[in-house]
Amino acid sequence: VTIRGWRNQQGIRWRFLLCHIGLWLIISSIFLGAADKKTLRVIAYKNHPTKEAIQENGHITHLPYEVCLQAFHVDYFPNGTPSHFEANVLLGSDSARLAINHPHSYSLTTDVYLTDYDTTLGSKSNYCILQIVYEPWKWFTACGIWILLIGAILLFIQGPTKKHEQ
């Protein structure tokens, strides 16, 4: 459909082409990116840098930078359950503040998430568990979404082209 429909009697159909290029870019980057995605877990100890991470299959791997917990804080609801927790960590030479659902973008392809801590000690926890997600194709997916949105907006603004019969 994409190859056959990109051109008609009036010339190139840019709106049609943008929508389909965006869609193909999204599909291909998600398909290809699934094989390249890596998820690692790191136990970041307070004042004790580490480079060791655990892969999903349980094997230990080494990071190209050190990870170290600097400070940790937990807020609680009145019933005693945690409402919010955050950690200040050192990632190589970068300092980052991590909180639940607020990851740190270490690089264009790497995000670092705070996932767990020592629940018995709360704010006095000596460690936290970080999840490092490496997705080299995520920017191709985002680019495809933007191209698809631009094509869809242009289709909406310009409306359908109708042929008038006489």
Side-chain angles (χ1 to χ4, degrees):
V1 171
T2 305
I3 294 170
R4 196 182 74 209
W6 73 283
R7 209 176 163 91
N8 63 11
Q9 291 84 13
Q10 290 84 24
I12 297 174
R13 297 170 44 192
W14 290 106
R15 299 173 296 168
F16 175 87
L17 197 58
L18 284 174
C19 286
H20 285 81
I21 287 173
L23 183 63
W24 280 110
L25 190 57
I26 292 167
I27 291 170
S28 61
S29 64
I30 289 173
F31 178 72
L32 295 171
D36 292 335
K37 181 179 177 181
K38 294 179 186 170
T39 302
L40 306 171
R41 294 278 176 131
V42 177
I43 301 174
Y45 292 98
K46 190 176 269 186
N47 301 322
H48 183 70
T50 185
K51 285 188 168 188
E52 288 187 352
I54 302 169
Q55 298 175 356
E56 289 177 304
N57 60 9
H59 291 94
I60 294 176
T61 187
H62 293 280
L63 299 171
Y65 50 88
E66 289 185 335
V67 176
C68 183
L69 176 65
Q70 294 177 318
F72 189 80
H73 179 72
V74 181
D75 292 325
Y76 295 94
F77 288 115
N79 65 2
T81 59
S83 64
H84 174 80
F85 53 97
E86 64 182 34
N88 292 332
V89 295
L90 196 62
L91 302 167
S93 60
D94 296 339
S95 183
R97 170 173 257 149
L98 302 172
I100 285 299
N101 297 325
H102 297 285
H104 172 71
S105 183
Y106 180 74
S107 69
L108 288 175
T109 58
T110 306
D111 293 323
V112 181
Y113 297 84
L114 175 62
T115 58
D116 207 357
Y117 65 98
D118 186 353
T119 55
T120 58
L121 294 177
S123 289
K124 295 179 183 178
S125 178
N126 292 324
Y127 71 89
C128 66
I129 299 174
L130 307 177
Q131 181 171 318
I132 300 172
V133 180
Y134 173 73
E135 293 179 281
W137 290 84
K138 77 177 182 178
W139 293 104
F140 292 101
T141 306
C143 184
I145 291 170
W146 281 106
I147 291 171
L148 178 66
L149 282 174
I150 290 168
I153 289 169
L154 289 174
L155 277 172
F156 180 73
I157 290 172
Q158 294 176 348
T161 55
K162 295 181 181 178
K163 295 180 184 180
H164 297 288
E165 295 182 21
Q166 294 183 358

